[in-house]
DNA sequence: TTGTATGCGTTATCAT
DNA sequence: ATGATAACGCATACAA
């Protein structure tokens, strides 16, 4: 009572009248142990309520059966799904996951990785800053690393990315296809990889259709709902009012929807709106949002699997670099009547998103 | 290249021409070390790119600076916010967090806790099953435990809970106050603590208002959107159509909204609908959902703080048992014109929920 | 099949 | 102020 009893392998050995080596063997059912001694050992362990010390074990085996996960943030559906995917992928191999967030800067990430030395077998990390290759390689010398959505591939690191460019290209192409040619963009924050790639997709889609870029229609944003609202107000007040707006993420699209609604602008009648990410509520806003679906769960699961395969692969195996598709999801916020609406497939009875909220 | 170099404290000692004890002292800036030797050691460590082995360190100090988090699931906003809260609370004390999910059954939880022995200093767990006290105490003998929303208090364990009962009571009381007396409930899954408490709150609110219970208006559900849809269909087909429905969570309320919409039933004109949880999209559905706000983030943060205080407290200190309020959030799905709508405070320019989705 | 002894990488207790 | 050296709890090579 109150005092934490610490039963070690030694007391079990004494109680079972064997050596600690034998107890160890029983618990790792490694070598040959008599059924009788095994029984005695297990009985003693049970009686003493012995819990093996995983930390000590991994010191000798140099295997922790844990992987580290370093993310810039934990806020929102995206990161939560990434973690869920990793957790699921890791569970298959009985790996524990050690998460740590608020690591936006590369130095932070290296420091965090450092503090993980000796407690993880490998690392999954999202490192958003430019020019981080050298320091990432420094981490990769210590343990296998899988990069999430890396800015560029790093030698010796596996990676799993989402094709932001293709997704943005597809959504803008869609807007053009249904007749728009004055298309604005609500940009993401400066320095953000995803934001940059989405902007590039927008620009190239315009170029591919022979439309010239319009700097006045490239509005600054930072992925927040309020930035979307402000961006909408700015567009309405500006000299040239676009007929369509591509918001670089759904939160901004939702804010934009709010601004347009407040201003009495009909969507999609007067203006088409598209987002990116396909967050859960994208279907529920009014009108339901045309957007680009990003499978964060799969991103995580694939990363976990990639890491596992690197943990098991012999030295020198080439790391894999996967890219997941980002697919256009047409709903009604762009009013494309000629395309079959995705919502037709999303009845309430479908299993999509219908899992329990709290178990 | 390819070969993972393992620099230990020993090589640093050799390179700096000191003993390993001195190197250790430098890195823990514990005892007195000459500025000169300290410099030499740090230089050597830097040159060799020495990363201390946290695992080995915690074997001698018997402190891991990590805490375990055991949850039944990682799906959805609730758990994700709990983790974010824990992460934030833990960061203040430089604690890493080791999360593991899919632990719904008590045996699972004990097994998981067991496998964490030696790698964590304490544990935050949600253990939903009944009759688990004895086994939870078994865990608590090993390290400090904080329970999330426990079925009952467990001797020696701290806990943080959400007052499901009060929240449900308040929302039903609200429905009664605005004139409803035929109030149905969409229940949560059998055996779920939250579901049971919310049902109890509903029943007692009716009783407190002198309304008699109507078993026909207690509809089975399982916290999924599709259950909400089916429940709505069942209510419309039933003998007595209620004028208001309290769904035990927001997902079911949203499904219900869908069913009513499909059937041409106006909300709140023909029927009032209320939910529970106040998930992010509750404001965005149409009509915006009156619900009960649950602060999952705070639940997590408080749990982390409670654990930290137990880690630092002397043996025998009484663990704290906190209960967080669940507060009514009135929007328009119940049509209570006499109450000031919460949305008036929720403009797009407010800071609520306006943080970045992806960093 | 079982026991003895060494080592994993560190901290901590002694000396000096 | 610094250096030997014994733990920490376990796995394992080797011996018996």
């Amino acid at each position: 009572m109150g005092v934490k009893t610490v039963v070690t392998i030694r007391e079990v050995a004494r109680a079972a009248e064997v050596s600690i080596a034998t107890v160890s063997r029983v618990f790792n059912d490694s070598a040959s142990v008599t059924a009788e001694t095994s029984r005695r050992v297990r009985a003693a362990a049970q009686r003493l309520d012995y819990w093996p010390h995983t930390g000590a074990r991994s010191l000798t085996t140099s295997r922790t059966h844990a992987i580290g996960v370093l993310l810039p943030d934990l806020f929102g559906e995206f990161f939560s799904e990434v973690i869920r995917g990793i957790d699921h992928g890791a569970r298959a191999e009985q790996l524990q996951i050690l998460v740590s967030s608020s690591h936006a800067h590369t130095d932070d990430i290296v420091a965090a990785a450092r503090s993980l030395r000796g407690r993880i077998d490998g690392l999954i990390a999202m490192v958003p800053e430019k020019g981080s290759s050298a320091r990432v390689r420094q981490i990769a010398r210590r343990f296998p690393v899988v990069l999430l959505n890396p800015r560029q591939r790093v030698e010796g690191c596996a990676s799993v990315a989402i094709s932001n460019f293709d997704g943005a290209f597809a959504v803008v192409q869609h807007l053009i296809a249904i007749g728009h040619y004055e298309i604005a963009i609500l940009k993401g924050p400066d320095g953000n990889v995803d934001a940059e790639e989405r902007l590039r997709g927008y620009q190239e889609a315009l170029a591919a259709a022979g439309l010239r870029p319009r700097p006045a229609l490239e509005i600054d944003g930072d992925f927040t709902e309020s930035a979307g609202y402000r961006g909408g107000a700015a567009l309405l007040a500006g000299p040239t009012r676009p007929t369509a707006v591509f918001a670089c993420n759904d939160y901004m699209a939702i804010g934009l929807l709010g601004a347009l609604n407040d201003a009495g602008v009909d969507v999609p009648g007067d203006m088409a709106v598209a987002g990116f990410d396909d967050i859960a509520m994208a279907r529920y806003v009014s009108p339901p949002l045309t957007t680009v679906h990003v499978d964060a769960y799969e991103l995580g699961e694939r990363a976990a699997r990639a890491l596992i395969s690197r943990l098991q692969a012999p030295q020198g195996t080439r790391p894999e670099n996967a890219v997941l598709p980002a697919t256009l999801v047409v709903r009604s916020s762009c009013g494309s009547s000629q395309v079959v609406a995705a919502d037709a497939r999303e009845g309430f009875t479908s299993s999509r998103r219908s899992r329990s909220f709290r178990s």
Side-chain angles (χ1 to χ4, degrees), chain A residues 8 56 106 219 226 240 258 283:
Chain A
T8 73
T106 312
I219 312 295
S226 54
T240 42
R283 302 168 51 196

Short mmCIF file of all heavy atoms in Angstrom, two decimals, chain A residues 8 56 106 219 226 240 258 283:
data_model
loop_
_atom_site.label_atom_id
_atom_site.label_comp_id
_atom_site.label_asym_id
_atom_site.label_seq_id
_atom_site.Cartn_x
_atom_site.Cartn_y
_atom_site.Cartn_z
N THR A 8 11.79 -7.75 -9.45
CA THR A 8 12.66 -7.91 -10.61
C THR A 8 12.78 -9.40 -10.94
O THR A 8 12.28 -10.26 -10.22
CB THR A 8 14.06 -7.35 -10.34
OG1 THR A 8 14.74 -8.24 -9.45
CG2 THR A 8 13.98 -5.97 -9.74
N ALA A 56 14.91 -2.02 -19.46
CA ALA A 56 16.14 -2.78 -19.25
C ALA A 56 16.33 -3.79 -20.38
O ALA A 56 17.44 -3.98 -20.89
CB ALA A 56 16.09 -3.50 -17.91
N THR A 106 13.48 23.02 -37.73
CA THR A 106 14.36 21.87 -37.92
C THR A 106 15.22 21.62 -36.68
O THR A 106 15.44 20.47 -36.30
CB THR A 106 15.24 22.07 -39.16
OG1 THR A 106 14.40 22.50 -40.24
CG2 THR A 106 15.91 20.77 -39.55
N ILE A 219 -4.60 35.93 -53.40
CA ILE A 219 -4.82 36.56 -52.10
C ILE A 219 -4.07 35.82 -51.00
O ILE A 219 -4.09 34.59 -50.94
CB ILE A 219 -6.33 36.54 -51.75
CG1 ILE A 219 -7.16 37.04 -52.95
CG2 ILE A 219 -6.60 37.34 -50.49
CD1 ILE A 219 -6.91 38.48 -53.30
N SER A 226 -10.63 32.50 -40.41
CA SER A 226 -10.77 33.96 -40.45
C SER A 226 -10.02 34.55 -41.64
O SER A 226 -10.45 35.54 -42.22
CB SER A 226 -10.30 34.59 -39.14
OG SER A 226 -9.00 34.17 -38.83
N THR A 240 -11.33 43.63 -59.66
CA THR A 240 -11.90 42.58 -60.51
C THR A 240 -12.46 41.47 -59.65
O THR A 240 -11.74 40.84 -58.89
CB THR A 240 -10.81 41.97 -61.42
OG1 THR A 240 -9.62 41.80 -60.65
CG2 THR A 240 -10.55 42.85 -62.62
N GLY A 258 -18.60 32.05 -45.53
CA GLY A 258 -19.24 32.94 -44.57
C GLY A 258 -19.26 34.38 -45.07
O GLY A 258 -20.27 35.07 -44.98
N ARG A 283 -18.74 18.28 -46.21
CA ARG A 283 -20.03 17.83 -46.73
C ARG A 283 -21.19 18.56 -46.10
O ARG A 283 -22.30 18.53 -46.60
CB ARG A 283 -20.26 16.35 -46.42
CG ARG A 283 -19.24 15.40 -46.92
CD ARG A 283 -19.46 14.04 -46.29
NE ARG A 283 -20.84 13.60 -46.41
CZ ARG A 283 -21.38 12.62 -45.71
NH1 ARG A 283 -20.67 11.98 -44.81
NH2 ARG A 283 -22.64 12.29 -45.89
#
